[in-house]
Amino acid sequence: MKFGKTIRESVLKEWRFYSVDYKGMKKALKSGSGDASSGSEDEDQPADDKQFFELYESSKDKVARFYADKERWAVDYMQTLEDRVEALRETSSNPPSPSSMTESEESSFSGSEADENAIAAANLSPTDVSKHPITRSHRRRVSTNCAWLKDEYRRVGKSKHFQNYIYAKKSLGTFDRELNLLVEFLALNKTGFRKILKKFDKRNGTAISEEKLAELAKTHAFLDGKVLSELKDRV
């Protein structure tokens, strides 16, 4: 698959405007016919080379602005999530008093265990088990215990702490996926700049790509995705 198609299909639709204009620069190269041995953007350059570097600079600016906004958002949101998790930890360390079983429920639980032991000790056959008074009592107790467990599940599901836990967990998962997309976006743009500059060299018989990429590494160091990768580790 050609890279132009790869970047178009891999980048979120709403982010495409901010990505490297690989297609536009490639089109400018195909229509170019002049000698660009100097690789400088001055008045002596052919018009198509000027267009190429205008698109190149515009792409750099768009990617930089996009990243600056996303990094600010990511750092701020990471702090929000950390505060949310810390609040959960504090609640977990000092939990509210849970509702406990009533005396009859405790008796039912201990009685069920005693029934199981009695049935095992009696070595009853499957037919005898179904008729034995202990097993009838046991089934009643199991039914009571199941009802209690269902009530406990409902109680926990409605608790503020549990709801906050679920919300925090989902938020972290969504944030992690967003960071993955951003890191991939940066990597695709870095590759796009490298590939299009090498195409420029190949088309014009120049050797400016190394110089341009060195400049890009200084001005657009964020394309390595270091900050976002560190945030992913914290998530």
Side-chain angles (χ1 to χ4, degrees):
M1 185 184 293
K2 293 185 178 181
F3 185 75
K5 188 176 181 181
T6 298
I7 195 169
R8 186 172 63 254
E9 293 183 354
S10 300
V11 173
L12 290 177
K13 186 175 181 179
E14 56 269 32
W15 293 358
R16 288 176 189 169
F17 172 79
Y18 304 100
S19 63
V20 56
D21 190 0
Y22 186 87
K23 183 178 179 180
M25 285 188 280
K26 187 177 179 181
K27 185 177 180 180
L29 284 179
K30 286 184 176 180
S31 60
S33 59
D35 177 22
S37 57
S38 66
S40 60
E41 298 105 297
D42 55 32
E43 295 181 357
D44 296 328
Q45 276 190 303
D48 292 311
D49 288 347
K50 286 183 179 180
Q51 182 187 15
F52 174 88
F53 284 109
E54 285 174 359
L55 292 172
Y56 176 75
E57 293 298 328
S58 174
S59 293
K60 286 169 57 181
D61 290 342
K62 287 191 296 184
V63 170
R65 289 199 305 271
F66 174 83
Y67 175 77
D69 289 341
K70 287 296 182 181
E71 184 188 282
R72 276 195 299 272
W73 164 78
V75 170
D76 290 344
Y77 192 51
M78 184 74 240
Q79 185 60 56
T80 298
L81 292 177
E82 286 182 329
D83 292 343
R84 196 173 293 166
V85 171
E86 185 57 33
L88 281 169
R89 288 197 179 111
E90 291 177 1
T91 305
S92 181
S93 300
N94 301 284
S97 300
S99 63
S100 57
M101 287 185 285
T102 63
E103 290 184 7
S104 61
E105 288 168 341
E106 290 177 350
S107 175
S108 177
F109 264 85
S110 60
S112 295
E113 185 177 356
D115 286 349
E116 291 172 357
N117 293 335
I119 292 169
N123 193 25
L124 298 173
S125 67
T127 303
D128 292 335
V129 166
S130 64
K131 298 177 180 178
H132 201 282
I134 289 180
T135 61
R136 290 197 296 271
S137 174
H138 177 73
R139 283 197 296 271
R140 285 196 300 272
R141 289 193 175 102
V142 167
S143 178
T144 300
N145 296 341
C146 287
W148 178 83
L149 283 173
K150 288 179 181 178
D151 288 340
E152 280 297 285
Y153 282 132
R154 294 191 189 99
R155 182 189 65 79
V156 171
K158 292 178 180 179
S159 73
K160 188 66 175 176
H161 179 75
F162 182 73
Q163 291 173 1
N164 288 341
Y165 163 76
I166 294 298
Y167 181 55
K169 187 174 182 180
K170 287 183 177 180
S171 298
L172 286 165
T174 301
F175 187 47
D176 185 63
R177 289 190 292 274
E178 182 98 3
L179 291 175
N180 277 330
L181 290 172
L182 286 169
V183 170
E184 181 182 359
F185 175 83
L186 296 179
L188 284 168
N189 278 276
K190 185 178 181 180
T191 301
F193 282 121
R194 176 177 59 79
K195 282 182 172 291
I196 202 64
L197 287 170
K198 288 187 177 297
K199 280 186 178 293
F200 182 92
D201 279 349
K202 185 177 180 180
R203 172 69 64 176
N204 295 286
T206 57
I208 68 165
S209 60
E210 289 188 11
E211 177 186 347
K212 292 291 184 182
L213 290 173
E215 292 175 359
L216 196 67
K218 293 180 180 178
T219 60
H220 290 57
F222 60 82
L223 290 174
D224 288 332
K226 184 179 178 181
V227 172
L228 299 181
S229 294
E230 289 175 351
L231 287 176
K232 273 179 54 61
D233 291 339
R234 286 164 66 185
V235 169

